[in-house]
Amino acid sequence: QGLYEEALKQFEKIKDTDFQAMYQLGVMYYDGLGTKKDPEKGVEYMYKILNSDSPEASHLKFAAANNLGRAYYEGCGVQHSTEEAERLWLTAADHGNPKASVKAQSTLGMLYSMPILKDLKKAFFWHSEACDNGNLESQGALGIMYLYGEGTCQNTKAALKHLRKASQLGNIYAQGHLVEYYYTRKFYSKAAALAKRATKNDYINKQAKISDCHPTYVAKGAAMAAFYLARCLQLGRGTEKDQNAAEKYYSKACYLDPAVASHLQLAANLGTI
């Protein structure tokens, strides 16, 4: 109900005998819910759960390890360490166990796609595990990896299967890449229709929360969709020409992700899209 201060009081009363209460307090102190932010205290509670021998803490250990991985990666409440974040996320992911932290499995997929620890085969493995366990962000990521042959063999049929499913479930990053796929293959009506759907919501953080996808990638997907919709409106491809609307969507793409918009504008100037 959002009554965080009252919840905090109740959890404080029972934290020494109830590991679920201790876990909730750890989250609340780390994120500043119902109290002043105290990430050190949040980390302390998560370690208590992770290191506990009590059977009553066992169902919370994967989630605690995932949160500790986040703390080390963000350098919040502890000194930043990508290596320690990786170790804790691997603990939380538990070799792809569906009862472990599926969020950690997806996060490892993202981590191994980044320059600092780049290993696309590992990224593909973890996104596959997370996707099989129902993670929407990894479903979209798998589609993109299959589409471009990153960490696996290129497979357009598998790519479209994952991208379409992720798109239907609200993954905006997958929608943006699917719009690009349709546009570059001259399925302009499909591209325009999907782009309109992907750009109708202006609240990136809210959309990220609903879909449990990272806001950065939600913004990138929406920027791609906005740019291709602008292109369709400017050139009358798959929809009626509308210069005013085209300018609006070009501006929207630049606002959402300037780097994506700049890259696509360069391609447009070169006549490749």
Side-chain angles (χ1 to χ4, degrees):
Q1 295 178 21
L3 303 172
Y4 297 122
E5 289 180 13
E6 183 58 32
L8 192 84
K9 287 178 192 173
Q10 299 302 323
F11 289 140
E12 284 284 8
K13 288 177 186 176
I14 59 171
K15 70 177 187 294
D16 294 328
T17 56
D18 189 316
F19 282 101
Q20 187 70 52
M22 186 186 289
Y23 176 84
Q24 295 301 147
L25 281 173
V27 171
M28 294 175 84
Y29 279 116
Y30 190 88
D31 290 327
L33 299 172
T35 183
K36 187 180 176 183
K37 263 194 172 192
D38 189 345
E40 288 83 5
K41 200 167 187 177
V43 166
E44 179 191 335
Y45 283 142
M46 291 299 163
Y47 264 123
K48 280 184 178 179
I49 291 165
L50 188 61
N51 296 329
S52 172
D53 294 326
S54 171
E56 292 177 12
S58 59
H59 71 292
L60 295 164
K61 289 194 173 195
F62 294 129
N66 179 56
N67 287 336
L68 286 167
R70 175 187 160 200
Y72 276 99
Y73 189 76
E74 293 175 349
C76 191
V78 287
Q79 189 173 349
H80 166 76
S81 170
T82 303
E83 292 76 15
E84 188 62 10
E86 179 191 18
R87 186 188 72 78
L88 284 157
W89 279 330
L90 285 167
T91 298
D94 193 34
H95 307 287
N97 176 1
K99 292 181 180 178
S101 173
V102 177
K103 186 69 176 176
Q105 293 162 13
S106 181
T107 301
L108 285 166
M110 296 291 185
L111 184 69
Y112 292 127
S113 299
M114 293 176 181
I116 192 168
L117 286 174
K118 196 162 190 177
D119 186 328
L120 292 178
K121 286 188 176 180
K122 282 185 180 180
F124 180 80
F125 169 80
W126 283 112
H127 278 311
S128 297
E129 295 297 305
C131 177
D132 287 346
N133 292 329
N135 185 275
L136 179 57
E137 188 149 44
S138 284
Q139 178 111 53
L142 268 187
I144 293 160
M145 295 185 89
Y146 273 122
L147 189 63
Y148 299 111
E150 294 179 345
T152 187
C153 295
Q154 191 171 18
N155 186 331
T156 304
K157 187 178 178 181
L160 292 175
K161 175 190 163 189
H162 285 292
L163 287 174
R164 284 173 178 149
K165 187 171 181 183
S167 294
Q168 286 164 5
L169 294 171
N171 184 324
I172 305 294
Y173 192 53
Q175 289 175 7
H177 279 275
L178 201 50
V179 167
E180 182 171 67
Y181 176 85
Y182 287 145
Y183 185 94
T184 55
R185 283 150 185 83
K186 301 184 179 179
F187 301 131
Y188 298 126
S189 297
K190 278 188 172 185
L194 181 56
K196 285 174 185 174
R197 198 173 107 208
T199 56
K200 69 180 180 183
N201 194 327
D202 289 327
Y203 302 103
I204 296 299
N205 287 330
K206 185 180 178 182
Q207 192 63 38
K209 194 171 183 180
I210 291 167
S211 62
D212 196 24
C213 294
H214 198 284
T216 301
Y217 289 97
V218 174
K220 284 182 185 295
M224 289 174 74
F227 190 92
Y228 281 107
L229 181 54
R231 198 84 177 133
C232 287
L233 288 161
Q234 181 187 357
L235 302 172
R237 291 175 172 173
T239 188
E240 287 187 21
K241 274 189 180 184
D242 187 333
Q243 293 303 318
N244 290 333
E247 287 176 18
K248 172 189 156 189
Y249 282 106
Y250 278 131
S251 296
K252 188 168 188 171
C254 290
Y255 169 75
L256 288 165
D257 192 310
V260 165
S262 177
H263 171 74
L264 292 174
Q265 186 59 61
L266 181 62
N269 292 343
L270 294 171
T272 57
I273 61 170

